[in-house]
Amino acid sequence: MHKVLLAAFFVISVSAAAIAQDPVKVDSKHYKVEFENSQVRVLRITYDPHDKSIMHRHPNAVAIFLTDSTARFNFPKAPAQDIVSKAGDVRWTPAVVHLPENTGDQRFEVILVELKGRAGSAKVARRTASRNIVSNGR
């Protein structure tokens, strides 16, 4: 019985760690660091048609869409969310753990400006956002 509990604890621990991975480290095919300092990290995100990532995390961020995109964001404990964006759209994205996929037939590219420190924390995100992705109203 003790071995079963220990094994279950190990599996849960490994699963939780996998969920909270840095996308640059676990999915370098789609995520590239363009700039980083003590305040922000700027990522270039590129997905070919129907590409899918793995579960990873982002702090609070601002997404700037360079191309039109149709995507689905899968979450560990919430229903998937389909997103349609146009080139030039800018969106606030609160801290999130997700698995994105390009559901469209075109390649899409996004610049993501991740905020560091307190501004990038999930605690701030819970106070400032009611959804996983909030549009700028365009």
Side-chain angles (χ1 to χ4, degrees), residues 58-62 92-95 113-115 118-122 124-125 128:
H58 294 282
N60 290 338
V62 174
W92 167 253
T93 62
V113 181
E114 295 181 328
L115 305 177
R118 182 172 160 79
S121 74
V124 173
T128 60

Side-chain angles (χ1 to χ4, degrees), residues 1-130:
M1 179 67 172
H2 182 263
K3 288 182 181 181
V4 172
L5 288 174
L6 187 59
F9 178 76
F10 176 76
V11 169
I12 291 169
S13 297
V14 169
S15 298
I19 287 174
Q21 295 292 321
D22 179 348
V24 174
K25 292 179 182 174
V26 298
D27 190 6
S28 61
K29 175 183 175 185
H30 298 115
Y31 295 85
K32 178 184 173 200
V33 177
E34 292 289 339
F35 173 82
E36 185 168 14
N37 66 20
S38 63
Q39 300 297 310
V40 299
R41 179 170 77 161
V42 179
L43 303 180
R44 182 176 302 272
I45 304 168
T46 307
Y47 280 86
D48 286 330
H50 308 287
D51 267 2
K52 193 175 199 177
S53 187
I54 63 169
M55 198 67 72
H56 60 263
R57 65 167 168 73
H58 294 282
N60 290 338
V62 174
I64 302 111
F65 291 81
L66 302 179
T67 62
D68 294 350
S69 65
T70 305
R72 173 170 292 136
F73 291 154
N74 301 287
F75 305 100
K77 295 181 180 179
Q81 184 177 13
D82 292 320
I83 303 296
V84 176
S85 299
K86 297 288 183 192
D89 282 355
V90 177
R91 294 179 187 225
W92 167 253
T93 62
V96 68
V97 174
H98 68 171
L99 183 158
E101 63 181 295
N102 179 355
T103 56
D105 294 327
Q106 303 294 323
R107 181 176 195 212
F108 78 74
E109 192 169 3
V110 177
I111 297 294
L112 188 70
V113 181
E114 295 181 328
L115 305 177
K116 292 184 176 182
R118 182 172 160 79
S121 74
K123 185 175 182 180
V124 173
R126 284 192 296 272
R127 288 192 313 232
T128 60
S130 61

